[in-house]
């Protein structure tokens, strides 16, 4: 037996903290090898938000190599907590909500689980909006009256009727797949794995051809080098560090709930090598396509178009636009279920394992995905990076710091799996909550609050010291290290008693 893989205790069915979705995976069912994890990351990286991630940096002012380097560094950084947290899943076969019980307590684990679930709901909403808007672009070509439907939503919603209708229809399709079960998405994932790389390559070739080769495209200078042309743009470093935090934040969710996937690993080497090989490389390569195409739009159209759906709408051929948008909708549906339903469904199930199953958790995710107003989150690149990615990284960074410190420095990678499912046991702490973890979480979030409030313009920029609001630019890093250090000191104090 692999020394880093532990079999599970039997007879956990009696526990109120256990369910089919939350039970540890037995050795006989841990079948994922290195290629499975590589394929997982390649599949999840090949999505429209990854493209938009890169193109938003171009729109924000970077040139092609600055954007690519920022993305590569960000994904290399987030790979570290990804592998560290993945270790517990591979060793003990437990999912993220159960792993969180070791540091937050059997009831307290619902705090990180819910924070992570709400973020996943936001991603679900964003992906659903992308898929719905793709359908809108198809229908608008063939039925132009869709664009002139009477406005039924308040102006404050920022939502036109036509896109709203197709968004809701695509949302219903997602909910129907949840009703059918995750197995129904397998064929769509296969379609995506083959089609999306081909479609991405075709888009790259179009950009190179229409942009008269890579030379003119990649020679587009950074806006930070043209202060006379863009007088209101700040310095490169003032943009780089928040952007880097946003890149880390892009996968901050998965860096926490990666045990949901590594619990199926044959060995530690499988999850470590698979993720190391695939995550930074696939994100960087697919982002390069986004960078090239976005840079090409300035050469071709005289303006930077960072949203691929808006770009597709500029193509003259109805057939090409229709085929492209159908592909986007199908691949988005596959990604949405795999990446944004499975994990939050587990998180919601952790609230009440006996009452909430996968389907119920999926429906809850879908409802919150609408209420989060996803069309506003991706309305512009600044909102996408500075409001969405950085804001939620300020919540998830502290959780990662606490869990890693607890697993590696407090418990030395040794967990009592049976106790994780006992209402009265080692991980019960006080009434099921480890108050030290909660304190560390709250204290680590507080430094980023002023910067968030100034970013969303709830308070004026000069209401707080600039260095205080500036901490928000490093939100994930600040939260991760502050929470980790505070948690370690508090737990050390307890251990000495």
């Amino acid at each position: 037996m692999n020394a880093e893989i532990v079999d599970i205790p039997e007879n956990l069915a009696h526990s109120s903290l256990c369910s089919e979705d939350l039970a540890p995976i037995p050795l006989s069912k841990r079948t994922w090898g290195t290629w499975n994890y590589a394929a997982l990351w390649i599949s999840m990286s090949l999505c429209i938000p990854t493209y938009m991630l890169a193109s938003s940096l171009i729109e924000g002012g970077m040139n092609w190599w600055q954007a690519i380097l920022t993305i590569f560094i960000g994904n290399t950084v987030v790979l570290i907590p990804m592998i560290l947290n993945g270790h517990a899943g591979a060793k003990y076969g437990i999912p993220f909500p159960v792993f969180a019980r070791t540091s937050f307590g059997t009831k307290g684990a619902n705090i990180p689980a819910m924070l992570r679930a709400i973020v996943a709901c936001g991603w679900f909403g964003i992906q659903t909006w992308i898929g719905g808007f793709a359908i809108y672009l198809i229908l608008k070509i063939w039925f132009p009256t869709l664009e002139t439907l009477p406005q039924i939503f308040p102006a404050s919603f920022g939502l036109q009727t036509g896109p709203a209708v197709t968004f809701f229809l695509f949302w219903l399709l997602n909910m129907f797949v949840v009703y059918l079960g995750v197995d129904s998405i397998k064929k769509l994932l296969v379609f995506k794995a083959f089609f999306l790389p081909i479609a991405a390559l075709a888009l790259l070739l179009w950009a190179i051809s229409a942009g008269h080769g890579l030379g003119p495209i990649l020679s587009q200078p950074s806006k930070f080098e043209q202060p006379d042309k863009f007088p209101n743009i700040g310095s490169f470093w003032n943009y780089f560090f928040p952007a880097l935090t946003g890149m880390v934040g892009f996968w901050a969710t998965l860096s926490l709930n990666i045990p949901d996937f590594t619990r199926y690993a044959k060995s530690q080497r499988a999850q470590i090598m698979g993720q190391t090989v695939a995550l930074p490389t696939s994100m960087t390569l697919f982002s390069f396509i986004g960078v090239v195409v976005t840079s090409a739009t300035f050469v071709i159209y005289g303006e930077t178009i960072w949203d691929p759906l808006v770009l597709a709408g500029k193509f003259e051929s109805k057939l090409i636009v229709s085929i492209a948008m159908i592909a986007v909708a199908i691949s988005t549906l596959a990604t949405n279920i795999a990446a944004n339903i499975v994990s939050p469904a587990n998180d919601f199930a952790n609230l009440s394992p006996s009452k909430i199953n996968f389907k119920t958790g999926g429906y809850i995710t879908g409802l919150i995905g609408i209420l989060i107003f996803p069309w506003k989150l991706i309305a512009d690149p600044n909102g996408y990076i500075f409001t969405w990615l950085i804001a939620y990284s300020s919540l998830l960074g502290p959780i990662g710091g606490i869990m890693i410190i607890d697993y590696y420095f407090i418990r030395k990678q040794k967990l009592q799996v049976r106790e994780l499912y006992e209402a009265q046991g080692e991980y019960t702490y006080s009434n099921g909550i480890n108050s030290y973890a909660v304190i560390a979480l709250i204290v680590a979030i507080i430094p980023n609050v002023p910067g968030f409030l100034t970013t969303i313009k709830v308070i004026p920029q000069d209401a707080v010291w600039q260095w205080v609001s500036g901490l928000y630019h490093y939100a994930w890093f600040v939260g991760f290290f502050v929470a980790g250090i505070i948690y370690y000191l508090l737990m050390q104090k307890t251990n000495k008693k």
Side-chain angles (χ1 to χ4, degrees):
M1 183 190 298
N2 188 320
E4 293 294 342
I5 302 294
V6 177
D7 207 354
I8 64 168
E10 298 179 354
N11 301 321
L12 291 173
H14 71 283
S15 173
S16 62
L17 297 177
C18 189
S19 68
E20 184 179 351
D21 298 317
L22 299 177
I25 303 298
L27 286 177
S28 60
K29 295 183 179 180
R30 300 185 204 178
T31 59
W32 286 33
T34 301
W35 167 244
N36 294 106
Y37 288 102
L40 174 72
W41 278 113
I42 292 171
S43 177
M44 288 201 292
S45 297
L46 289 174
C47 62
I48 301 301
T50 299
Y51 175 105
M52 297 171 77
L53 190 71
S55 55
S56 65
L57 295 180
I58 296 294
E59 170 67 13
M62 290 185 171
N63 61 24
W64 75 272
W65 67 263
Q66 290 169 343
I68 290 297
L69 184 61
T70 303
I71 290 168
F72 179 77
I73 294 174
N75 281 278
T76 301
V77 169
V78 82
L79 178 66
I80 298 172
M82 195 84 69
I83 290 174
L84 292 177
N85 276 327
H87 187 281
K91 184 173 183 177
Y92 297 102
I94 55 176
F96 160 67
V98 175
F99 180 37
R101 293 173 185 174
T102 66
S103 50
F104 283 85
T106 51
K107 293 181 180 177
N110 288 315
I111 298 173
M114 285 303 97
L115 289 176
R116 190 261 174 265
I118 294 300
V119 172
C121 292
W123 273 121
F124 174 83
I126 288 174
Q127 292 273 20
T128 304
W129 173 255
I130 289 171
F133 198 77
I135 295 173
Y136 169 73
L137 290 176
I138 298 170
L139 296 178
K140 186 181 73 169
I141 291 175
W142 302 100
F143 306 100
T145 55
L146 188 64
E147 194 173 7
T148 57
L149 290 176
Q151 187 69 20
I152 61 174
F153 295 99
S156 60
F157 276 41
L159 185 62
Q160 293 181 320
T161 303
V165 170
T166 54
F167 167 66
F168 183 65
L169 290 174
F170 192 69
W171 180 88
L172 285 176
L173 179 59
N174 278 266
M175 292 299 97
F176 180 65
V177 173
V178 171
Y179 172 76
L180 294 177
V182 180
D183 288 342
S184 63
I185 208 70
K186 286 183 178 178
K187 292 182 180 179
L188 289 178
L189 286 170
V190 172
F191 168 85
K192 174 190 173 181
F194 283 97
F195 183 85
L196 202 57
I198 295 174
L201 184 60
L203 188 61
L204 176 64
L205 294 175
W206 166 83
I208 294 173
S209 175
H212 309 294
L214 275 175
I217 294 173
L218 299 184
S219 65
Q220 294 299 308
S222 164
K223 291 180 182 178
F224 302 104
E225 300 169 4
Q226 308 172 76
D228 54 330
K229 191 174 181 181
F230 303 97
N232 295 323
I233 200 164
S235 71
F236 171 78
W237 295 111
N238 286 340
Y239 185 81
F240 169 77
F241 287 111
L244 179 63
T245 303
M247 300 310 105
V248 174
F250 189 78
W251 288 124
T253 50
L254 266 294
S255 72
L256 294 183
N257 73 274
I258 192 64
D260 289 340
F261 297 96
T262 59
R263 62 197 295 222
Y264 299 99
K266 292 179 180 178
S267 65
Q268 290 293 351
R269 186 180 186 278
Q271 67 100 358
I272 293 172
M273 290 302 297
Q275 295 196 84
T276 302
V277 169
L279 172 56
T281 52
S282 58
M283 283 293 293
T284 304
L285 289 173
F286 191 59
S287 296
F288 177 74
I289 295 176
V291 165
V292 170
V293 175
T294 305
S295 299
T297 60
F298 188 82
V299 176
I300 300 166
Y301 300 109
E303 61 175 322
T304 303
I305 303 174
W306 79 290
D307 189 335
L309 302 183
V310 175
L311 173 59
K314 286 185 171 290
F315 294 156
E316 295 180 358
S317 170
K318 291 183 178 181
L319 185 61
I320 290 177
V321 173
S322 298
I323 293 174
M325 292 302 97
I326 289 172
V328 166
I330 293 175
S331 64
T332 299
L333 177 64
T335 299
N336 222 9
I337 302 299
N340 302 319
I341 287 290
V342 174
S343 293
N346 284 342
D347 295 334
F348 289 123
N350 192 61
L351 285 172
S352 180
S354 61
K355 296 179 180 179
I356 301 177
N357 58 18
F358 170 80
K359 289 183 181 180
T360 306
Y363 298 148
I364 295 172
T365 301
L367 181 61
I368 298 176
I370 293 178
L371 298 177
I372 211 154
F373 283 30
W375 53 89
K376 286 196 170 187
L377 293 178
I378 60 170
D380 67 83
N382 285 330
Y384 183 46
I385 293 177
F386 296 101
T387 302
W388 173 237
L389 293 178
I390 296 182
Y392 79 65
S393 76
S394 68
L395 301 176
L396 302 188
I399 297 172
I402 291 168
M403 293 177 67
I404 288 173
I405 288 295
D406 183 81
Y407 183 64
Y408 287 93
F409 294 93
I410 304 299
R411 307 193 185 279
K412 313 295 185 184
Q413 305 172 34
K414 295 179 181 179
L415 304 180
Q416 303 300 320
V417 177
R418 183 180 294 279
E419 295 286 303
L420 289 169
Y421 297 89
E422 295 292 341
Q424 298 296 326
E426 179 180 345
Y427 307 106
T428 304
Y429 295 101
S430 177
N431 295 319
I433 300 174
N434 182 3
S435 58
Y436 290 153
V438 177
I439 291 171
L441 175 64
I442 294 173
V443 172
I445 290 174
I446 289 174
N448 292 313
V449 173
F452 173 71
L453 295 178
T454 57
T455 298
I456 63 174
K457 297 180 172 55
V458 169
I459 61 175
Q461 290 282 348
D462 56 1
V464 295
W465 291 310
Q466 188 173 357
W467 70 268
V468 173
S469 61
L471 292 174
Y472 178 69
H473 295 161
Y474 314 90
W476 185 89
F477 298 95
V478 171
F480 183 91
F481 288 107
V482 169
I485 292 170
I486 291 176
Y487 180 77
Y488 180 78
L489 293 175
L490 290 174
M491 292 298 287
Q492 285 294 102
K493 180 182 176 181
T494 300
N495 292 338
K496 289 179 181 179
K497 289 182 180 180

